[in-house]
Amino acid sequence: MTYRETVNLGEKVLSMADIAEAKTDAWLLLEMVCKIDRSFYYLHMAEEMPEEQMSEYQIALRKRAEHVPLQYIVGETEFMGLKFKVNSSVLIPRQDTETLVEEALKVVRPGMRVLDLCTGSGCVIVSILHNVSDVEGYAVDISKQALNVAKENARLNDVPVLFEHSDLFDHVTGTFDVIVSNPPYICTDEIAKLMPEVRDFEPMEALDGKEDGLYFYRKIIGQCKQYLNPEGHLLFEIGYDQGQKVSALMREIGFHDVQVIKDLARNDRVVTGML
């Protein structure tokens, strides 16, 4: 089977499995398996594809047809213009979360200490340190497997981050100028309604925000005062309808200049405030 026939077959298989971006995913899997780019493809698309690569491509197609996220199959994704390794131990970094990093970059300055709670893949803290020099970066997660991924991403992007295995602030010491967090915020009852790529494959402990989705915001806001320096900033990623509720929680304990920031789709995406 030629390269052209193979990628056309891939698109057909994925379309039949109701994969939304079947054509794009079929190509990206071919690119991964064969380690080729578009130029090579157009020059050689009428040539026979090596049998070993064909077998590998079929395995990758089968996984994607079962709705395994493309990023987990490929093993990496792009975020803030950087490459990040991902596997099923971490949430896949999404463009929505770039809004959190962009807002953090407005307040992080050289010489500051920054803490990332629920770091997952490390995409937030790594992106901040990549863009601002001379920042002390710290990150924690309850999952040791997620921390292993985050450490690899810090090395991959050549930024120094101190990682700690911790349930939120349990093993955190010292104070910080900025605390950022993308905690679990989906209501438990809503998880069953998520697309299968998310519901069935991404880590549940990174999704489930308990009954009303606000469990981790309450915990972090309730404990953060002793870890924030005077005029320190707290920034959260939030669900599309959580802006008013999370900002109210922050105001209740004394945060000021609290703002709800919308993403490109005009949904609530980030809440920021100063202590």
Side-chain angles (χ1 to χ4, degrees), residues 136-199:
E136 292 184 38
Y138 300 81
V140 303
D141 202 283
I142 197 171
S143 166
K144 291 182 178 179
Q145 292 77 16
L147 287 172
N148 289 335
V149 177
K151 290 174 183 177
E152 184 176 359
N153 284 324
R155 289 192 294 268
L156 177 67
N157 289 287
D158 194 27
V159 296
V161 182
L162 180 62
F163 293 97
E164 181 71 49
H165 179 229
S166 179
D167 183 357
L168 301 181
F169 292 107
D170 281 359
H171 295 115
V172 173
T173 58
T175 58
F176 303 88
D177 301 292
V178 178
I179 296 176
V180 295
S181 183
N182 179 14
Y185 58 71
I186 299 174
C187 301
T188 302
D189 289 345
E190 295 295 316
I191 290 175
K193 304 173 186 177
L194 298 173
M195 59 192 300
E197 281 84 347
V198 179
R199 180 191 66 226

Side-chain angles (χ1 to χ4, degrees), residues 53-186:
Q53 291 181 347
M54 173 63 72
S55 297
E56 189 177 345
Y57 185 67
Q58 289 173 337
I59 292 171
L61 270 182
R62 192 176 307 120
K63 290 180 180 178
R64 187 67 189 103
E66 293 170 353
H67 290 266
V68 176
L70 177 74
Q71 295 89 339
Y72 288 164
I73 300 171
V74 175
E76 66 178 25
T77 192
E78 185 175 297
F79 179 83
M80 292 292 294
L82 304 174
K83 291 287 187 182
F84 287 88
K85 298 291 185 181
V86 292
N87 60 33
S88 58
S89 297
V90 299
L91 287 183
I92 298 165
R94 290 170 169 80
Q95 186 177 16
D96 290 343
T97 305
E98 292 189 359
T99 307
L100 176 61
V101 175
E102 289 163 358
E103 291 303 313
L105 292 176
K106 294 177 181 178
V107 298
V108 175
R109 298 288 180 268
M112 284 187 170
R113 288 165 52 89
V114 179
L115 172 65
D116 179 15
L117 296 171
C118 309
T119 193
S121 67
C123 65
V124 172
I125 191 67
V126 168
S127 297
I128 291 171
L129 268 62
H130 178 82
N131 282 279
V132 186
S133 60
D134 192 29
V135 171
E136 292 184 38
Y138 300 81
V140 303
D141 202 283
I142 197 171
S143 166
K144 291 182 178 179
Q145 292 77 16
L147 287 172
N148 289 335
V149 177
K151 290 174 183 177
E152 184 176 359
N153 284 324
R155 289 192 294 268
L156 177 67
N157 289 287
D158 194 27
V159 296
V161 182
L162 180 62
F163 293 97
E164 181 71 49
H165 179 229
S166 179
D167 183 357
L168 301 181
F169 292 107
D170 281 359
H171 295 115
V172 173
T173 58
T175 58
F176 303 88
D177 301 292
V178 178
I179 296 176
V180 295
S181 183
N182 179 14
Y185 58 71
I186 299 174

Side-chain angles (χ1 to χ4, degrees), residues 219-270:
K219 287 199 72 172
I220 293 169
I221 293 168
Q223 299 174 25
C224 71
K225 272 192 167 183
Q226 61 184 303
Y227 298 97
L228 265 177
N229 291 326
E231 298 188 350
H233 289 83
L234 177 63
L235 301 94
F236 287 118
E237 177 171 328
I238 58 170
Y240 72 96
D241 59 352
Q242 294 174 325
Q244 290 188 355
K245 294 175 182 177
V246 175
S247 57
L249 290 171
M250 291 175 66
R251 290 190 182 98
E252 283 175 11
I253 71 156
F255 278 89
H256 60 91
D257 293 338
V258 177
Q259 300 179 60
V260 179
I261 310 298
K262 295 187 180 295
D263 59 22
L264 293 176
R266 306 306 299 164
N267 293 316
D268 292 355
R269 186 55 58 195
V270 171

